[in-house]
Amino acid sequence: MISVQQLTKGFDDLRRGWVAALDHVSFDVQPGEIFGLLGPNGAGKTTCLRILSTVLRPSSGTATVSGFDVVTHPTEVRKRIGFMSNNTGIYDRMTAWEMAEYYGRLYGLPEDVLQSRLEQLFDTLQMNDFRDTLGAKMSTGMKQKASIARAMVHDPPVIIFDEPTCGLDVLVARKVLAIVQSLKDQGKCIIFSTHIMREVEKLCDRIAIIHKGAILAIGTLPELQEQHQQPDTEELFFDLIERYDQQNQPSAAGFAPVAG
Amino acid sequence: MNWLTVKLIFLREVRDQFRDRRTLFMIAVLPLLLYPAMGIGMLQMTLLFSEQPRTVVILGEKHLPPPQLLEGDKFVSNWFNNPADSDKLNVVTDTLVELGGGGLNASRNRMLIEQARAIRERIEQHTAIDADVKQAESAQRERMKTPAGPSDKSLAVLQERIGQLRAKQVTIDHELMDLFASSQIQVLIVVPDGLKENIERVNRLLVERDNSHVAGVSYPRPTIVKNRADDKSVVAYARVREVLEAWEEEILRQRLSAAELPQELTRPVGSAPLDLAAEEQISANVWSKMFPALLVIMAVTGAFYPAVDVAAGEKERGTMETLLICPATRTEIVLGKFFTVMCFSMSTALLNLLSIGATGQYMLSVAGGMGRGALAHAGVITLPTAPALAWLLILLIPLSAFFSAMCLALATFARSSKEGQYYLTPLLMVSIGLTVFCLSPAVEIYPVHQASWFYSVMPVVNIALLLKALLLNPGNTGALIFAAPVLATSIGYSLLALWWAIEQFSSEGVLFRDGERFEVGLWLKHLLREKEPTPTFTEAGFCFVIIMLAQFVSMRAFGQSIASATPDEMGMQMMKLMVIQQLAIIACPALFMALILTTSVRQSLRLWLPNWKFVAIAALLPFVLHPLSLELMASLQWFFPQLPDGATRLLRAMGDGEQSLPLILIALAVAPAVCEELAFRGFILTGFNRNGRTRVAIGLSALAFGAMHMIPQQVFNATLLGIVLGLIALRSNSLLPGVIFHFLFNSLAVMRERVSVRIADGHAEEFRQSFWHWFATLGDGGLRYTWLTLVISGVAAAMCLWWVWQSGRAKPTPEAVNNLFASGLAPAQQHSTCVT
């Protein structure tokens, strides 16, 4: 469903010079699978997801979604993905219903399909009590739900969650995770980026630990634990990052050489 | 492109804007409430101020001659154009005070008269000193006539006395000023003793036809004291003058009729104005001055806020990313937003104009009806006619489109609404500057003007000027012929601006600019540390800006040094300056920037040896392009404004046989060929070509090359040549063919001037019979090429250019590899090359 090969993205930074935000990253995600991208802030998670959602172009390497290349067929890719970012992307001066409807129309859904789809979404997400509330007046939880409704309106086979629980209280976060789980059960192909270990342990079928643009380890959680003889996820994570930073100490002045 | 998507985005944005309080304020509240409120406020203030009566003091009232000037404490009302104005001046006279009159104001009047007398005393002292000084000066002149000798001493004494007198006068003047300023008198009239008798004496002499005595009559005249720096005094003085002039005219009339002389005696010419302006025309004149300026300012203001909101605002609120991920293409998104901005720009402009027009008309009619104040002279203003309004609507469309696209592109570049407002302020300033330019009566779109066609293609200015002409007279065929070019170019500019906005929207660098702190020091360090083999796009643009700025700064210095040269040296001086200018202003920035900012000067400036074929083509092309360019420019002469003085002089110097040819060639061919190529086909083109878009790079570098030439004719010509030169430079990946082309092309222009002069100078007949006559004839402006030459040149030029365009297209030149780096395809490799 999603295939990422040797994906690299560099940009020019005032302080550090040329920086590789992504450094030859490769992974695959299958339908009905939740793939976790686990990494600290600034590891390159968002850059990777933005390339997958076609808003950034890779410097080199390829990424395909449902067989369509993100560089050569961006429109086809966009039709097949739902993207939810941590800053919910809610219009202040639009109601929840209007916004989901607007995006449904942008995706070209026929009007009757759209209306029934919206009713269904608002029912399952329990959004009917704030369907006519303006974005500016919504609570964070409402915004998150509205954002999910927007991302799901065209029923995409691939869904990308970029730190969806960031800044949410425990109750709302739990609901969001439940929604992600139910989407998986519907057979969606899901990428889930986070820096919270608990979420990964709970949700993800496979994970990739990403740091400074490079994937340090990839596999199912038990596999990784066995491989590195570290039963605790948190310790595993810190070990990997520490080891990587030690190895790359000499070239700390700016650019991290290829590690994959 | 799917128009349904555009419509969808448009409708959402419009609804969004209508839910925004700021937008509603700008387009509805401001025009519908603010202007009328301002109008009423202004009207009330003018009424309030004109109600205040001013104080005029007259000393020596009993010496005033008939007819009666005063009536109680007012001037007689029939001396005013508008009799009601009489109430606006209170007159206090010494006679009145002496009689104990003035009622409630008696004590104030006494004080005023005392103040007036003190002032009169100073005036008399001032006059007395004047007389003394005059006397002393004439004595001094007398002494100076006699030969120098013992009288030297007395001269010095006299000089000293004059100095003392003057110093005393200055003190008196200061006292006078202080006295007048501290008094409550706005105007003081001092009537000298015996004025009445003196006037009567002259009248008598005239009746008796005693001309010899009339000529010799001289008597003291009244003095009117006012203070020009004080508004109250100015207003009062204007009224006093009006009264005194009318009154004096009556005295003159009585004098003439008593002496049985004709009334027209004092007006030997007596011309009378005949005003043909109909009422609507007066109105049209007012509108044609007001509306174009307002339209431009309102269109840009109306585009400003929505543009910031739909572009920068969307980024700021974090909704941009989700919008970009939906299947709508960038073009569709930009168009949807563009139409929204345009819609608001147009409605803001129209509502504002409507409101200002209505308020203005109402105010003028109120003021006119009351017959008060300066506004009364404007008369009753009618609204513009229907055809004029139709033109206003038509021209508003491209104007709004242009501003909307510009604002959208600039606002897209910004990270936040606040930043967007900073970027858009310069646009607003430039628009205001342009409207001020258009307001000048000398600037007109009209066939009489040489510059008209040029104005008609200038953005914004063209619309404002056409509207100005059409509001004055909608059936103005003279102006209507400009409608086509104005509309066509305006739509062209709008499309360009829109293209730029779409470009901005497609650039991830612009859309995802991170909010890191910017520090100049850090940036400079970064610039020097992270040098790349070739310049970036920004560095190339900056190089161009430096060249333009240096040119602007040096213009004055160069102009002065040319102006100070003698006519003989002028040509020589000009040539020297040309070389200096080329070296210092054009070559230096490019060379230094290449040295400091890039790692490979050679690659940045294209210092490679080219394929010999390109050299051959570059040597051939000037010969076929020269006739084409010359005839094109000649046939477009009507289009451009007249050449400025400096350029004409330079042209003359080129053909001047007295100047040595090698010198002229060095100044006009060698120096530009080397320096301009280094800058424009070297540094700037390489930078522009970094992202691998050949056509954009060639176009931009050609435009920069053109803009550098300043004079419209040359800008046009140089831009076209810039395209050819850019193409050659990119395809050959060498500076050399361009230098050769540039040198030959400029040399040909010089040679043509000289040969023309030579032939015209006695060889005309010989030339007419020669074989060359098939190719060129001798015209007014020197040699002109025949159709035969043009056809041959055209075919040859097309073939050469086609060959250049085709060659090296697919080959991976060093450029192409470089582009690979630039687009970030291989940052890893790039770094390994940098670091190791």
Side-chain angles (χ1 to χ4, degrees), chain A residues 7-11 18-23 25 42-45 47-48 56 210-214, chain B residues 827:
Chain A
L7 205 60
T8 299
K9 174 76 183 175
F11 61 90
W18 263 90
V19 176
L22 271 190
D23 199 353
V25 166
K45 299 188 298 279
T47 307
C48 178
L56 287 183
I210 184 168
H211 177 55
K212 291 191 176 163

Side-chain angles (χ1 to χ4, degrees), chain A residues 9 18 57 59 91 93, chain B residues 19 309 314 508 824-825 831:
Chain A
K9 174 76 183 175
W18 263 90
R57 292 166 69 89
S59 303
Y91 285 106
R93 300 190 287 260
Chain B
R19 285 180 182 171
D309 194 58
E314 185 136 18
E508 59 186 50
L825 247 171
H831 268 277

Side-chain angles (χ1 to χ4, degrees), chain B residues 172-492:
Chain B
I172 290 174
D173 284 355
H174 275 294
E175 280 174 26
L176 191 57
M177 272 185 256
D178 291 342
L179 274 174
F180 191 70
S182 63
S183 75
Q184 286 167 11
I185 306 170
Q186 267 84 48
V187 173
L188 168 64
I189 305 173
V190 180
V191 185
D193 290 353
L195 180 68
K196 186 159 57 173
E197 290 74 24
N198 279 321
I199 289 176
E200 274 163 9
R201 188 157 59 90
V202 175
N203 287 353
R204 225 170 19 250
L205 287 173
L206 277 172
V207 170
E208 290 160 10
R209 294 289 190 274
D210 190 349
N211 289 349
S212 57
H213 277 100
V214 171
V217 168
S218 152
Y219 53 88
R221 310 283 172 139
T223 309
I224 302 178
V225 186
K226 57 157 180 163
N227 180 3
R228 199 161 45 139
D230 174 19
D231 279 346
K232 292 184 205 162
S233 177
V234 170
V235 172
Y237 175 69
R239 297 206 193 284
V240 167
R241 236 180 70 155
E242 183 188 330
V243 169
L244 290 185
E245 270 170 14
W247 174 67
E248 192 172 8
E249 210 164 295
E250 179 57 23
I251 295 176
L252 179 68
R253 203 187 60 74
Q254 288 181 1
R255 167 183 284 178
L256 290 173
S257 69
E260 293 176 333
L261 288 167
Q263 291 295 327
E264 289 78 26
L265 189 70
T266 55
R267 296 187 64 207
V269 176
S271 55
L274 176 60
D275 190 0
L276 290 178
E279 203 139 88
E280 322 68 273
Q281 273 180 310
I282 302 174
S283 317
N285 191 19
V286 173
W287 298 132
S288 82
K289 284 197 181 93
M290 242 169 76
F291 272 13
L294 284 174
L295 198 71
V296 170
I297 292 175
M298 288 307 155
V300 69
T301 326
F304 192 112
Y305 294 97
V308 169
D309 194 58
V310 300
E314 185 136 18
K315 262 196 212 178
E316 195 176 39
R317 293 188 290 266
T319 48
M320 183 67 102
E321 201 177 341
T322 38
L323 183 63
L324 293 178
I325 293 168
C326 83
T329 64
R330 302 290 156 92
T331 313
E332 286 160 359
I333 296 175
V334 174
L335 279 180
K337 287 178 183 291
F338 163 75
F339 285 124
T340 312
V341 177
M342 191 172 150
C343 168
F344 280 94
S345 164
M346 285 182 67
S347 31
T348 308
L350 285 179
L351 276 174
N352 275 281
L353 281 197
L354 206 70
S355 177
I356 291 178
T359 311
Q361 193 192 15
Y362 176 73
M363 274 175 65
L364 287 177
S365 69
V366 169
M370 290 191 299
R372 282 165 196 270
L375 287 176
H377 300 294
V380 177
I381 299 290
T382 53
L383 282 176
T385 54
L389 286 177
W391 272 111
L392 193 138
L393 273 177
I394 293 172
L395 290 173
L396 179 58
I397 295 171
L399 189 70
S400 281
F402 176 70
F403 280 132
S404 304
M406 286 292 284
C407 286
L408 197 58
L410 283 172
T412 308
F413 188 71
R415 269 184 298 233
S416 64
S417 310
K418 198 174 144 203
E419 208 180 306
Q421 293 189 358
Y422 286 133
Y423 291 152
L424 285 183
T425 309
L427 185 68
L428 198 64
M429 307 283 274
V430 171
S431 317
I432 291 174
L434 286 180
T435 51
V436 171
F437 173 73
C438 297
L439 279 177
S440 152
V443 180
E444 267 188 302
I445 202 159
Y446 215 67
V448 187
H449 283 258
Q450 249 262 309
S452 281
W453 286 102
F454 185 64
Y455 286 150
S456 73
V457 298
M458 263 169 80
V460 182
V461 169
N462 57 1
I463 293 181
L465 288 180
L466 181 63
L467 191 62
K468 188 169 147 184
L470 289 174
L471 278 177
L472 204 55
N473 178 8
N476 187 340
T477 43
L480 275 177
I481 54 169
F482 291 102
V486 167
L487 283 174
T489 49
S490 300
I491 291 169

Side-chain angles (χ1 to χ4, degrees), chain B residues 799-811:
Chain B
M799 278 162 59
C800 288
L801 287 174
W802 178 247
W803 182 83
V804 174
W805 176 248
Q806 285 299 318
S807 63
R809 250 185 120 176
K811 269 187 278 172

